[in-house]
């Protein structure tokens, strides 16, 4: 049995358990004068030091003057891919749009080629270096999508890389099959749809979720339903890329399918926002994409004020957001989407864990997984206030401390 005492932090701040919306987003538990006792990877107790049943041989982490919050969950991430699109970034800074670059043979197609060409070891090493960076910024659980293979061998290779990395890395990786990310070069839409459906039984052995890029020029709402119905029959849960550039009815489809989340929403109008807010589908906000592509921000305020369950993620990928810094996404959500710090915190912990259907993750309560961050500040709000900096000092994953710097 291994025990860890996180001793005397200045604050222990956590959202309350549950999928949070409305006023509950702004109601974290803030404990002062308390410590956390962790046993065998779970939080055993939180309370005044004298009241904790700390064994003599417990490992002690002195957290005086530091704030403690839950580990962060990045619930939308394209971690595994080969190649670089730095040249496309240069084209965009010179004025080309994401859609123009994709139409000229760049974009997703470029990364697909590079990912097909890369060996499994190379992909795993690239992904490992990235997940290390994410962890240093406080991420303890991350979703990992396929979607840069667009053929059976490479889609499965990506999911296998995610599984192999999950087995050796402290950060938990949650796999999503995104075969319907784009139509590969040299293939008709109809043929590729057939192939995606053929991939589903194998993909379902490796992936918990199925995602579709539901967007003009990619997959229609009707095609999305076709794919998702089969995915659900094979045990995967639906989540969607929706309303990124155009609102074409994908959110309606997600609600009808009972999807776990709709992600992006930059092009969502007020009517769509209210409809989503009235459902149990999590709205995953990706403010880094708006900054990186210079497109509008999702209507976070309208969504949250209407009662939506919000989450915030990076959407780390080579085309539309090249960062693994989830706290920076929280800062953007606060600065550009007018979210409160507490709403942002709930959106990367409890609600992001809910978007990945994780049990007892994302909260500091007895019985919950001991995924915790010790911040190099006495005020948890500094994590967001010092934007673009890294205030994470120690990442505790399942009760094991890892230095973040
Ligand atoms: O989530 N929107 C679709 N897919 C990615 C971008 C993929 C790429 O450009 O490589 C996204 O933004
Ligand atoms: Fe994405």
């Amino acid at each position: 049995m291994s025990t860890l005492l996180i001793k005397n932090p200045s604050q222990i701040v956590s959202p309350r358990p549950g999928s949070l919306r409305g006023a509950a987003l702004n109601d974290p538990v803030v404990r002062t004068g308390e410590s956390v006792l962790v046993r065998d990877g779970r939080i055993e107790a939180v309370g005044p030091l004298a009241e904790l049943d700390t064994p003599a041989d417990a490992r002690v982490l002195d957290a005086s003057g530091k704030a403690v919050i839950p580990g962060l969950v990045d619930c939308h991430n394209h971690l595994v891919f080969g190649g670089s699109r730095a040249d496309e970034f240069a084209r965009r800074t010179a004025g080309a749009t994401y859609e123009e670059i994709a139409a000229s043979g760049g974009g997703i197609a470029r990364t697909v080629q590079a990912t097909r060409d890369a060996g499994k070891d190379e992909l795993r090493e690239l992904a490992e270096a990235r997940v290390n960076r994410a962890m240093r910024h406080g991420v303890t659980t991350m979703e990992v999508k396929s979607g840069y293979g667009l053929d059976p061998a490479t889609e499965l290779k990506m999911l296998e890389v995610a599984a192999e990395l999950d087995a050796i890395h402290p950060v938990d990786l949650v796999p999503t099959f995104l075969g319907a990310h784009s139509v590969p070069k040299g293939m008709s839409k109809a043929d590729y749809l057939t192939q995606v459906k053929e991939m589903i039984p194998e993909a379902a052995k490796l992936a918990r979720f199925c995602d579709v890029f539901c967007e003009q020029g990619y997959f229609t709402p009707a095609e999305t339903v076709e794919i998702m119905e089969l995915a659900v029959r094979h045990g995967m849960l639906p989540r969607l890329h929706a309303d990124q550039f155009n609102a074409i009815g994908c959110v309606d489809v997600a609600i009808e399918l009972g999807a776990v989340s709709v992600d992006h929403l930059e092009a969502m109008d007020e009517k769509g926002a209210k409809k989503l807010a009235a459902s149990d589908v999590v709205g995953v906000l990706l403010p880094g994409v708006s900054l990186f592509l210079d497109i509008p921000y999702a209507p976070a305020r309208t969504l949250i004020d209407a009662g939506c369950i919000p989450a915030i993620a990076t959407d780390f990928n080579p085309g539309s957001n090249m960062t693994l810094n989830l706290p920076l996404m929280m800062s953007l959500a606060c600065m550009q989407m007018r979210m409160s710090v507490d709403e942002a915190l709930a959106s990367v912990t409890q609600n992001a864990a809910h978007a990945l259907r994780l049990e007892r993750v994302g909260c500091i309560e007895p019985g919950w997984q001991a995924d915790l961050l010790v911040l190099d500040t006495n005020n948890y709000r500094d994590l967001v206030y010092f934007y673009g900096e890294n205030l994470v000092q120690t990442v505790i994953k399942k009760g094991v401390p890892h230095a973040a710097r």
Side-chain angles (χ1 to χ4, degrees):
M1 284 219 288
S2 72
T3 318
L4 174 72
L5 175 71
I6 305 163
K7 192 175 163 188
N8 286 331
S10 59
Q11 300 177 315
I12 302 165
V13 182
S14 170
R16 289 168 202 276
S19 48
L20 305 172
R21 47 172 119 213
L25 290 164
N26 277 307
D27 188 29
V29 180
V30 181
R31 296 173 168 102
T32 53
E34 300 193 14
S35 298
V36 185
L37 187 64
V38 171
R39 198 185 299 265
D40 293 335
R42 300 228 150 243
I43 297 167
E44 183 167 279
V46 186
L49 194 55
E51 291 173 19
L52 297 179
D53 186 17
T54 311
D57 64 351
R59 181 169 175 184
V60 178
L61 206 155
D62 180 5
S64 22
K66 315 289 180 193
V68 173
I69 63 170
L72 310 183
V73 177
D74 190 355
C75 66
H76 183 138
N77 196 305
H78 302 256
L79 182 76
V80 179
F81 60 85
S84 164
R85 280 157 52 197
D87 55 343
E88 292 181 8
F89 179 70
R91 277 174 68 191
R92 280 205 305 102
T93 62
T97 67
Y98 179 87
E99 284 141 312
E100 282 163 7
I101 289 169
S104 70
I108 294 175
R110 280 274 299 294
T111 304
V112 167
Q113 195 53 54
T115 306
R116 286 178 179 175
D117 292 345
K120 256 171 100 171
D121 290 348
E122 181 187 347
L123 285 178
R124 195 184 51 252
E125 280 159 25
L126 285 167
E128 185 173 5
R130 293 170 190 151
V131 81
N132 286 339
R133 282 213 300 283
M135 188 179 178
R136 284 198 290 274
H137 285 94
V139 170
T140 48
T141 304
M142 183 190 278
E143 189 230 19
V144 179
K145 297 180 194 290
S146 71
Y148 288 118
L150 309 186
D151 65 27
T154 319
E155 285 295 308
L156 291 178
K157 177 172 76 175
M158 292 183 74
L159 292 172
E160 282 162 10
V161 164
E164 285 171 17
L165 187 52
D166 180 50
I168 58 165
H169 202 280
V171 170
D172 282 319
L173 303 178
V174 181
T176 294
F177 173 59
L178 176 57
H181 194 190
S182 184
V183 177
K185 256 196 236 157
M187 212 167 177
S188 72
K189 169 77 102 47
D191 286 349
Y192 188 57
L193 270 174
T194 306
Q195 197 173 75
V196 168
K197 285 188 263 173
E198 285 166 2
M199 288 186 229
I200 283 178
E202 282 305 303
K205 292 180 189 159
L206 292 162
R208 176 133 195 240
F209 298 98
C210 184
D211 194 345
V212 172
F213 188 17
C214 186
E215 177 62 56
Q216 212 164 286
Y218 293 82
F219 296 91
T220 66
E223 290 157 352
T224 302
V225 172
E226 212 178 306
I227 294 165
M228 287 305 187
E229 285 181 344
L230 187 63
V232 168
R233 280 209 288 284
H234 282 86
M236 291 190 278
L237 301 175
R239 56 187 336 121
L240 283 188
H241 281 70
D243 289 11
Q244 180 175 5
F245 299 110
N246 304 280
I248 57 165
C250 305
V251 172
D252 291 320
V253 155
I255 295 170
E256 279 158 32
L257 285 164
V260 300
S261 72
V262 280
D263 305 35
H264 275 289
L265 315 178
E266 293 89 342
M268 178 175 248
D269 62 15
E270 192 169 334
K271 203 166 138 235
K274 292 200 165 140
K275 217 185 266 182
L276 178 61
S279 79
D280 291 331
V281 181
V282 178
V284 180
L285 307 165
L286 308 167
V289 174
S290 300
L291 179 73
F292 195 80
L293 292 185
D294 194 18
I295 61 172
Y297 285 83
R301 215 44 281 152
T302 309
L303 280 162
I304 294 170
D305 292 343
C308 176
I309 305 168
I312 299 170
T314 59
D315 190 21
F316 170 72
N317 76 80
S320 67
N321 199 28
M322 200 59 170
T323 182
L324 291 148
N325 185 341
L326 190 50
L328 176 60
M329 303 303 104
M330 298 167 73
S331 301
L332 283 178
C334 294
M335 296 185 297
Q336 299 296 308
M337 299 166 120
R338 297 196 299 112
M339 286 175 69
S340 71
V341 170
D342 292 332
E343 286 168 342
L345 182 66
S347 297
V348 294
T349 54
Q350 261 304 263
N351 283 1
H354 175 63
L356 295 182
R357 292 295 185 265
L358 304 171
E359 294 291 324
R360 295 189 175 253
V361 172
C363 202
I364 305 179
E365 286 292 329
W368 288 57
Q369 188 161 291
D371 294 355
L372 302 160
L373 307 181
V374 180
L375 305 180
D376 194 8
T377 168
N378 60 8
N379 182 348
Y380 74 104
R381 293 195 170 103
D382 285 347
L383 180 70
V384 181
Y385 176 40
F386 282 78
Y387 73 98
E389 305 234 357
N390 188 8
L391 293 195
V392 179
Q393 178 182 287
T394 307
V395 178
I396 298 158
K397 179 64 188 177
K398 291 182 181 147
V400 179
H402 304 264
R405 38 184 81 193

